[in-house]
């Protein structure tokens, strides 16, 4: 079956860059997403990238897509304590979405 | 941005009772709504997809008679957990998508509902 995989934990120091990686298996995915989940809150869409793009930048966020390797990454520049959360990557095709297990990002002062 | 409101955020119920969770799109018409279940340290699992005015499409392994989904209008979908058991305790999240010209667009998520069955 199709699985979206990402590491469960990442710890960085405040001010450093964070890179969260994700692999997916369905080459027919049309959009790939990054969501942020803060404690007690629902998922917040951070950014998304269309499958024919290689990179998308939005302020401190940079998304890189390697479609050949089915690898997606989210880079957060100048990571702040407020960035501590769980980050989910997701792929979508047609009317379905599949999520990874989420990466818990901890930002240490 | 678009807002999806999910209610209640937390509910505790007794075994054998039914619980209804509402998902509303507040400022857009959601032709498609999704219901997910999240287990600790696991990914979100899609339970079912519903389109307004038609029966929901359930994922394999999800009991349609236990998890009743009603998408009666373009702004409201409900998930009813019938005859709840402790193993149904989980975090349930809905999301809504506004179809725009057939393009695959972003989905907006509700706040989630923490269901505890005692």
């Amino acid at each position: 079956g199709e699985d979206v995989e990402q590491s469960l934990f990442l710890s960085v120091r405040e001010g450093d860059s964070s890179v969260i990686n994700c692999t997916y298996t369905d080459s027919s995915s049309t959009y790939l997403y990054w969501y942020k989940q803060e404690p007690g809150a629902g998922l917040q869409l951070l950014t998304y990238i269309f499958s024919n793009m290689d990179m998308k930048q939005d302020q401190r966020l940079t998304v890189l897509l390697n479609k050949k390797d089915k690898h997606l990454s989210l880079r957060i520049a100048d990571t702040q304590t407020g960035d501590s959360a769980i980050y989910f990557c997701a792929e979508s095709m047609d009317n379905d979405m599949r999520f990874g297990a989420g990466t818990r990002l901890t930002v240490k002062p | 941005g678009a807002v999806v409101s999910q209610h209640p955020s937390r509910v505790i119920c007794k075994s054998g009772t039914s619980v209804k969770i509402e998902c509303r799109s507040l400022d857009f018409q959601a032709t498609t709504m999704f219901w997910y279940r999240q287990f600790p340290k696991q990914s979100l699992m899609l339970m079912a997809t519903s389109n307004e005015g038609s029966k929901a499409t359930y994922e394999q392994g999800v009991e349609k008679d236990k998890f009743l989904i009603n998408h009666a209008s373009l702004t409201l979908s409900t998930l009813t957990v019938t005859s709840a058991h402790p193993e149904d305790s989980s975090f349930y999240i809905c999301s809504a998508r506004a179809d725009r010209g057939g393009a695959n667009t972003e989905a907006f998520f509700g706040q989630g509902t923490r269901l505890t069955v005692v």
Side-chain angles (χ1 to χ4, degrees), chain A residues 30-31 35 45 92 95-96 100, chain B residues 34 43-44 46 104-106 109:
Chain A
T30 50
Y31 283 83
Y35 288 88
L45 178 65
S92 74
N95 214 24
D96 190 15
Chain B
F34 307 87
S43 63
L44 290 174
L46 178 65
N104 194 345
T105 58
E106 61 190 88
F109 285 80

Side-chain angles (χ1 to χ4, degrees), chain A residues 42-43, chain B residues 1-9 21-28 30 33-35 75-79 92-96 108-113:
Chain A
L43 293 177
Chain B
V3 177
V4 173
S5 175
Q6 186 173 340
H7 177 80
S9 58
I21 302 169
E22 292 187 348
C23 182
R24 293 180 184 274
S25 57
L26 297 185
D27 55 359
F28 68 100
M33 286 192 174
F34 307 87
W35 287 96
T75 59
L76 174 65
S77 176
T78 60
L79 167 67
Y92 294 85
I93 303 177
C94 70
S95 75
F108 299 94
F109 285 80
Q111 303 95 319
T113 298

Side-chain angles (χ1 to χ4, degrees), chain B:
Chain B
V3 177
V4 173
S5 175
Q6 186 173 340
H7 177 80
S9 58
R10 291 179 181 274
V11 59
I12 301 174
C13 71
K14 292 184 178 180
S15 288
T17 61
S18 295
V19 174
K20 180 184 283 188
I21 302 169
E22 292 187 348
C23 182
R24 293 180 184 274
S25 57
L26 297 185
D27 55 359
F28 68 100
Q29 293 184 328
T31 52
T32 307
M33 286 192 174
F34 307 87
W35 287 96
Y36 298 86
R37 183 174 178 178
Q38 185 182 20
F39 294 97
K41 297 183 179 179
Q42 295 186 34
S43 63
L44 290 174
M45 298 296 296
L46 178 65
M47 298 174 65
T49 303
S50 71
N51 292 292
E52 184 264 340
S54 62
K55 289 184 179 180
T57 302
Y58 289 80
E59 294 298 298
Q60 192 172 10
V62 178
E63 299 175 59
K64 61 180 68 176
D65 293 330
K66 181 167 184 62
F67 299 99
L68 301 178
I69 292 172
N70 187 343
H71 193 164
S73 75
L74 286 170
T75 59
L76 174 65
S77 176
T78 60
L79 167 67
T80 302
V81 182
T82 62
S83 187
H85 290 280
E87 56 264 31
D88 297 326
S89 299
S90 189
F91 192 64
Y92 294 85
I93 303 177
C94 70
S95 75
R97 173 176 293 167
D99 294 327
R100 298 170 192 153
N104 194 345
T105 58
E106 61 190 88
F108 299 94
F109 285 80
Q111 303 95 319
T113 298
R114 169 70 63 188
L115 170 63
T116 304
V117 184
V118 297

